[in-house]
Amino acid sequence: MQAKPVNNFMSLDNTGLEKTMKGQKKRGRIAVVALELKEAHASRDRVIKNCIAQTSSVVKHLREEREKNLDDLTLLKQLRKEQTKLKWMQSELNVEEVVNDRSWKVFNERCRIHFKPPKNE
């Protein structure tokens, strides 16, 4: 009895190779999304903190001016306006933290099989 040659070894190998390549491409795309997510959150965080620092500086300056001139109502109005803006920006930073946490939670739920981001996210 003669053994018949099996030609489907190549097709099995190619199928396995294709699945491996697709898996690597998927992991690569997921890694790119993770990096973009990390960079976007860092960028927004940096911008909000920069705005807070600038507004804090303005509030400090207006407080100093207010101490020199207690009767100036326009100065008081401007100080209150800047203080309100500062509080709004600080709350925006808190909102950004919640958005960041929820984004990573969803990312990890959807992509944990294919990709594990570094622990600092």
Side-chain angles (χ1 to χ4, degrees), residues 33-55:
V33 169
L35 182 60
E36 289 173 352
L37 186 62
K38 181 180 179 181
E39 289 173 352
H41 287 302
S43 174
R44 286 192 298 268
D45 189 62
R46 192 171 40 255
V47 168
I48 293 169
K49 286 180 179 177
N50 186 28
C51 289
I52 288 172
Q54 289 179 358
T55 306

Side-chain angles (χ1 to χ4, degrees), residues 51-116:
C51 289
I52 288 172
Q54 289 179 358
T55 306
S56 293
S57 175
V58 170
V59 167
K60 181 181 176 185
H61 174 70
L62 288 172
R63 278 188 185 147
E64 291 169 356
E65 290 296 315
R66 174 80 176 130
E67 288 175 4
K68 292 177 188 174
N69 191 356
L70 295 174
D71 297 333
D72 191 351
L73 293 178
T74 57
L75 191 59
L76 177 63
K77 203 173 187 179
Q78 183 66 27
L79 175 60
R80 296 290 180 238
K81 181 180 174 184
E82 291 297 319
Q83 286 173 328
T84 302
K85 187 192 309 183
L86 180 60
K87 288 176 186 175
W88 176 79
M89 288 181 193
Q90 289 168 336
S91 70
E92 194 63 31
L93 189 60
N94 292 333
V95 168
E96 182 59 30
E97 185 179 335
V98 170
V99 169
N100 187 13
D101 291 344
R102 289 183 181 175
S103 297
W104 282 112
K105 181 181 177 187
V106 169
F107 178 85
N108 289 327
E109 287 172 356
R110 302 282 194 265
C111 303
R112 68 176 167 235
I113 295 170
H114 305 289
F115 181 78
K116 294 239 187 256

